[in-house]
Amino acid sequence: MSYKGGDIKKGKKLAETRAGQCHTFAKGGSNGVGPNLFGIVGRTSGTVPGFGYSKANQDAAVAWTQEVLDEYITNPRKFMPGNKMAFAGLRREKDRADLIAYLETLHD
């Protein structure tokens, strides 16, 4: 069961259009302006090797659970003041559920 009934296909499209400019999603993918997001669900913030995180992100040591990602994606700057991500957030709950449902598939 996906997070809050999210649609994986819609989430993949959202990821590609809203996050693909800065992030990659494939296993072993390179970091871009943002870190590679493969395996993000369950990972600790600020831990992708080779990516230059903000001090706020490194120090937060947040576990990226589905619920935490939902809150973060709503408004990244409010959730983690001082992070470098320029993304303003996804306001629609359904969009966040779809995106998180897709992110959940990015694991071994």
Side-chain angles (χ1 to χ4, degrees):
M1 182 74 155
S2 62
Y3 181 68
K4 293 188 177 182
D7 183 305
I8 294 167
K9 286 184 180 181
K10 288 181 181 177
K12 181 176 182 180
K13 185 172 179 142
L14 272 169
E16 290 168 348
T17 59
R18 300 294 301 272
Q21 311 88 291
C22 296
H23 298 277
T24 60
F25 307 97
K27 181 177 181 178
S30 62
N31 295 318
V33 173
N36 176 279
L37 296 180
F38 186 88
I40 189 166
V41 178
R43 185 167 68 208
T44 302
S45 66
T47 61
V48 172
F51 185 74
Y53 287 97
S54 65
K55 182 162 175 33
N57 201 308
Q58 289 175 347
D59 292 349
V62 171
W64 293 123
T65 64
Q66 300 152 318
E67 296 78 15
V68 170
L69 281 166
D70 193 355
E71 186 178 349
Y72 180 73
I73 294 167
T74 300
N75 187 336
R77 291 187 186 268
K78 181 179 177 186
F79 179 88
M80 188 181 292
N83 83 69
K84 297 191 299 187
M85 193 159 85
F87 180 62
L90 289 176
R91 301 295 183 248
R92 293 184 59 223
E93 184 176 10
K94 178 69 171 121
D95 288 346
R96 294 192 311 273
D98 293 345
L99 179 59
I100 293 167
Y102 171 65
L103 294 175
E104 288 177 306
T105 70
L106 305 179
H107 62 82
D108 289 323

